[in-house]
Amino acid sequence: MKNLGKVLALASLGLLLSGCAQKNPKLTNEFWQKSQEHKIVVAKVKAPKPTLTQSGSIGLLDYAINATVTNSFGDYLKTVKLDWYHDELAHKFTDNLKQHNIAATAHNVAVSLNKKEREAFLMQMEGNKLLVVELEGIGAVRSYYSFVPLGAPKAYCTLSGELIDQANKKVLWRHSVRIEKPVIGEWDQPPSYPNFTKALMSAAHAAKEELMDSFFSGH
Amino acid sequence: MRWLVVLLLSFALVGCSSSRIIIDKLHYKNSIDLKVPNKAYIYWIPGEHNSHEVQDYSVASGGGGLGGLVANLAIGVIKQQDKKNNPSKYFLEYGKADESVFITSLRNTLDAQGVFKTTDIITNLDQVNPSDVLITIYFKNTRIDHAGMVTLSAHMSIKTKNKQAFSRTYFVQSDDEPKGFLHTKGLLEMKTESSQKLLALIINGIKQYYQGEYK
């Protein structure tokens, strides 16, 4: 009897927690059938700086040592250009939407959108739907044991998107993607790290393509 | 000596990983109400496979400090070499073998239901005549993430004489909802689920191309 109570309590907790997980809604056929009713504003969130993420068994001192040792790589990451995100991605979405007979405009200024700001932005924009794309993270990830690297760094890119209806603030579509790419060939090539740059651009391209494929799938 | 035992144990466990799981042939349960009196060819173009590295968190128990560091360094070096020699042990992917099963299942489904006069898989385009139906399936991207979710993105184009070409990209993911209480899905189940979804979408695309014709 005691054990049954514990099991039930754990089960309820599990169900409660699973209900809190964010679901990713997909666009319905109805959305595409009513294409001419939509006026979508495509906005992008301010991008973070590319960074080196350290993972594994690392203490605080190890973080500091690793950052110092990879100083030139850290400096290179700060110079990585994100033109594909700042200048191109929103326009690519806009062009594709127009090809599907959906009125769309790109909001050229990157926005910082917490929940309150997003709602305020949603209400004052000209369209009836808001498509927000966000570069959540980009750069390199490397495993360490203490201050010893356990392999070459990998390039990564995390991109997400959300389509919100202005009328009822309902999320009509959401997708998030994280792509990691290993470096082909030698990675440690200061100051410009060309092989790593190729891997990073490849990760960004794959993330961008997946985000768009998720939105336009089947149409 | 303890760290050597842990080292050997960790390798034994990694060797049991499910990275080489290939999907079984797929089945399409619905009937396809379409009979096109032309030969069809499926031209398969494999694409990019984004694999997920199986994380092995085993740590040598040589104690902390220098002993632990040396032990883990040794593990790290040996693992790196093993990864180069046996990549399939460490990386989960929806690869060429899975794509091959998918394409064969598509071909078998179309052939079994007599959708086209004949349906064959080709690797070069020389044998295709203008009056034949050319179905190109390009696996743009396949991906397995840290949670084992399988993502497939495939582009299909259909061309035949006297008809406008048709082209769509289909994006599917394995379902992230658990099937039942305490039921967690394995990699094979996730791969099969996403493959079945993609198969259904591709067949719907073919039906859409011939909408109203050839019933």
Side-chain angles (χ1 to χ4, degrees), chain B residues 37-183:
Chain B
N38 300 84
K39 286 185 194 175
Y41 294 98
I42 301 174
Y43 180 54
W44 164 39
I45 306 174
E48 237 183 88
H49 308 122
N50 286 299
S51 55
H52 168 66
E53 188 172 347
V54 177
Q55 292 300 320
D56 174 16
Y57 296 107
S58 60
V59 176
S61 61
L66 189 60
L69 179 61
V70 169
N72 281 285
L73 269 176
I75 291 174
V77 166
I78 294 169
K79 256 192 224 159
Q80 286 302 316
Q81 194 54 47
D82 196 41
K83 264 185 208 173
K84 279 183 194 166
N85 297 337
N86 302 294
S88 62
K89 271 165 69 176
Y90 294 90
F91 296 96
L92 305 180
E93 69 169 15
Y94 189 103
K96 260 188 170 174
D98 299 295
E99 289 182 18
S100 171
V101 173
F102 179 90
I103 293 292
T104 308
S105 300
L106 173 64
R107 182 250 160 220
N108 290 347
T109 300
L110 296 174
D111 200 52
Q113 296 217 28
V115 175
F116 299 100
K117 196 170 165 186
T118 56
T119 311
D120 292 301
I121 298 168
I122 54 170
T123 53
N124 77 72
L125 299 170
D126 294 344
Q127 62 198 97
V128 183
N129 293 320
S131 58
D132 297 332
V133 179
L134 175 62
I135 302 170
T136 303
I137 307 284
Y138 165 45
F139 270 93
K140 266 182 89 170
N141 184 32
T142 69
R143 184 168 69 84
I144 297 183
D145 72 10
H146 63 279
M149 185 184 285
V150 178
T151 299
L152 307 176
S153 182
H155 183 86
M156 175 173 73
S157 66
I158 308 177
K159 279 183 198 169
T160 191
K161 195 178 168 184
N162 298 329
K163 209 166 156 57
Q164 199 172 355
F166 176 91
S167 140
R168 292 285 188 276
T169 296
Y170 298 104
F171 178 86
V172 297
Q173 286 187 302
S174 52
D175 197 350
D176 55 3
E177 296 280 342
K179 241 184 167 173
F181 185 59
L182 293 180
H183 177 102

Side-chain angles (χ1 to χ4, degrees), chain A residues 110-129:
Chain A
V111 292
S112 293
L113 292 177
N114 59 35
K115 196 171 182 283
K116 265 193 184 170
E117 287 166 342
R118 186 172 298 198
E119 286 188 8
F121 183 76
L122 189 65
M123 297 318 293
Q124 55 92 15
M125 63 171 198
E126 283 184 13
N128 57 26
K129 288 175 184 62

Side-chain angles (χ1 to χ4, degrees), chain A residues 137-152:
Chain A
I138 187 163
V141 58
R142 195 176 195 186
S143 294
Y144 287 85
Y145 181 82
S146 180
F147 52 84
V148 179
L150 299 177

Side-chain angles (χ1 to χ4, degrees), chain A residues 13-41:
Chain A
L13 187 65
L15 282 170
L16 183 70
L17 288 172
S18 65
C20 294
Q22 200 178 54
K23 293 191 172 59
N24 289 339
K26 307 275 182 268
L27 289 173
T28 60
N29 283 332
E30 195 190 337
F31 173 87
W32 295 104
Q33 281 158 10
K34 294 182 178 177
S35 58
Q36 293 182 359
E37 292 180 13
H38 310 313
K39 286 179 196 167
I40 300 181
V41 171

Side-chain angles (χ1 to χ4, degrees), chain A residues 152-169:
Chain A
K154 283 190 262 191
Y156 84 95
C157 177
T158 308
L159 204 53
S160 67
E162 215 172 55
L163 178 70
I164 309 161
D165 191 324
Q166 189 190 55
N168 53 20
K169 300 190 184 72

